[in-house]
Amino acid sequence: MNWIILVVAGLFESGFAFCLGKMKGVTGTEYYLWGAGFLVCLAISMLLLAKAVHTLPIGTAYPVWTGIGAVSTVILGIVFFDEPVSFIRLFFIATLIASIVGLKMT
């Protein structure tokens, strides 16, 4: 169950990164709404990470959490922010995913 909590925490990490990206080009009320989304996602992500490390080793949980957040943030950037897609970028995303799986298996 704590692995599921950790995955959800990692997805909320990409949620706060997404909100930061959306804050970049807006002003006024929309800026503050995306800022509020950032804070909510940040709080949920941290609370879920704290819950997961009650039973998972921090040396495994933290890299897995950041890896899930990093991979999903790159995907969100490609889909929503027109960030470039190249072979080398996809290669390193794949190696990051392989590293996350390797940490979980040890």
Side-chain angles (χ1 to χ4, degrees):
M1 182 66 175
N2 281 322
W3 283 106
I4 294 169
I5 291 171
L6 186 63
V7 169
V8 173
L11 294 174
F12 272 101
E13 181 188 9
S14 64
F16 72 73
F18 178 79
C19 290
L20 280 176
K22 295 299 277 184
M23 289 172 71
K24 184 177 178 181
V26 297
T27 59
T29 302
E30 191 175 356
Y31 178 84
Y32 292 109
L33 289 173
W34 285 113
F38 166 80
L39 293 173
V40 168
C41 287
L42 177 66
I44 292 170
S45 182
M46 293 295 166
L47 289 171
L48 291 175
L49 176 62
K51 172 77 173 136
V53 299
H54 281 174
T55 58
L56 301 175
I58 189 70
T60 302
Y62 184 78
V64 169
W65 173 76
T66 58
I68 291 167
V71 169
S72 55
T73 299
V74 169
I75 293 168
L76 288 172
I78 291 168
V79 173
F80 292 103
F81 297 112
D82 296 321
E83 293 181 0
V85 180
S86 66
F87 170 78
I88 197 72
R89 193 167 195 203
L90 295 176
F91 171 77
F92 284 116
I93 291 170
T95 60
L96 183 56
I97 292 169
S99 298
I100 293 167
V101 170
L103 280 173
K104 185 186 180 302
M105 293 174 70
T106 60

